[in-house]
């Protein structure tokens, strides 16, 4: 619901035209409501693969620097991973990496644009597959069993007087 509300707020706030003398197209229509599209010449299978790779890289970064807690400053690494993913994926698939990010704008813009839902599954299958692959590879290749999924490995000092 948050992505739909955010997309609706974006639509409500970008109702104006850049230059009314030249065109009646609103800013919202210029940015296609924030929806994703595959690049010309890119087929859905390639789009899924790109989204799998982008999401895998982001999730691996989060797992290695935020979940593992061995690196003290995780925000810079995660931000850099998002930046690199968007820089690589923006012109190809839009660099979604998150099904909710694609779903909200598609719902809100679907009355303005025909074809909004064409190839939309790319933005679900790709990120979900990439996230699952990242979690599995982290779990079985990188995670230390004693540190994973536990709150504390050291018993608390409980002394009874």
């Amino acid at each position: 619901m948050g992505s739909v509300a955010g997309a609706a707020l974006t639509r409500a706030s970008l109702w104006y035209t850049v230059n009314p003398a030249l065109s009646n197209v609103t800013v919202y229509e210029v940015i296609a409501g924030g929806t994703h599209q595959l690049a010309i010449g890119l087929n859905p299978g390639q789009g899924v693969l790109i989204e799998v790779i982008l999401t895998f890289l982001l999730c691996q970064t989060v797992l290695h620097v935020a979940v593992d807690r061995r690196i003290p400053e995780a925000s810079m690494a995660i931000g850099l991973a998002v930046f690199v993913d968007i820089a690589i994926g923006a012109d190809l698939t839009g660099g979604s990496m998150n099904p909710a990010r694609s779903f909200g704008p598609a719902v809100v813009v679907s009355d303005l644009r025909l074809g909004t839902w064409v190839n939309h599954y790319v933005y679900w299958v790709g990120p979900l597959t990439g996230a699952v692959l990242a979690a599995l590879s982290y779990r079985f290749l990188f995670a230390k069993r004693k540190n994973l999924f536990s709150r504390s490995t050291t018993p608390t000092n409980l002394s009874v007087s």
Side-chain angles (χ1 to χ4, degrees):
M1 294 306 296
S3 65
V4 174
L9 184 62
T10 301
R11 183 175 184 173
S13 62
L14 297 177
W15 54 267
Y16 57 91
T17 59
V18 176
N19 190 344
L22 297 177
S23 172
N24 285 335
V25 177
T26 66
V27 174
Y28 183 77
E29 293 168 328
V30 170
I31 64 167
T35 58
H36 296 295
Q37 292 180 349
L38 296 177
I40 295 172
L42 199 69
N43 68 46
Q46 293 167 323
V48 168
L49 180 62
I50 290 167
E51 286 293 324
V52 165
I53 293 168
L54 296 176
T55 306
F56 180 86
L57 293 173
L58 176 60
C59 289
Q60 277 292 312
T61 303
V62 170
L63 290 167
H64 281 282
V65 301
V67 173
D68 205 343
R69 297 183 189 185
R70 286 183 279 188
I71 297 177
E73 186 56 47
S75 58
M76 185 63 126
I78 294 169
L80 183 62
V82 170
F83 171 77
V84 169
D85 279 1
I86 291 173
I88 292 169
D91 290 335
L92 299 171
T93 63
S96 173
M97 301 170 282
N98 181 350
R101 163 61 186 92
S102 301
F103 181 71
V107 168
V108 174
V109 80
S110 60
D111 67 325
L112 294 176
R113 244 177 91 211
L114 294 175
T116 299
W117 297 102
V118 175
N119 299 325
H120 189 74
Y121 69 92
V122 166
Y123 304 104
W124 286 82
V125 173
L128 292 174
T129 304
V132 167
L133 290 174
L136 290 174
S137 68
Y138 178 77
R139 173 69 173 98
F140 293 110
L141 298 175
F142 301 107
K144 292 184 177 181
R145 289 195 180 272
K146 65 179 182 180
N147 292 335
L148 186 65
F149 306 123
S150 64
R151 295 271 182 214
S152 174
T153 57
T154 309
T156 56
N157 187 4
L158 298 175
S159 58
V160 179
S161 309

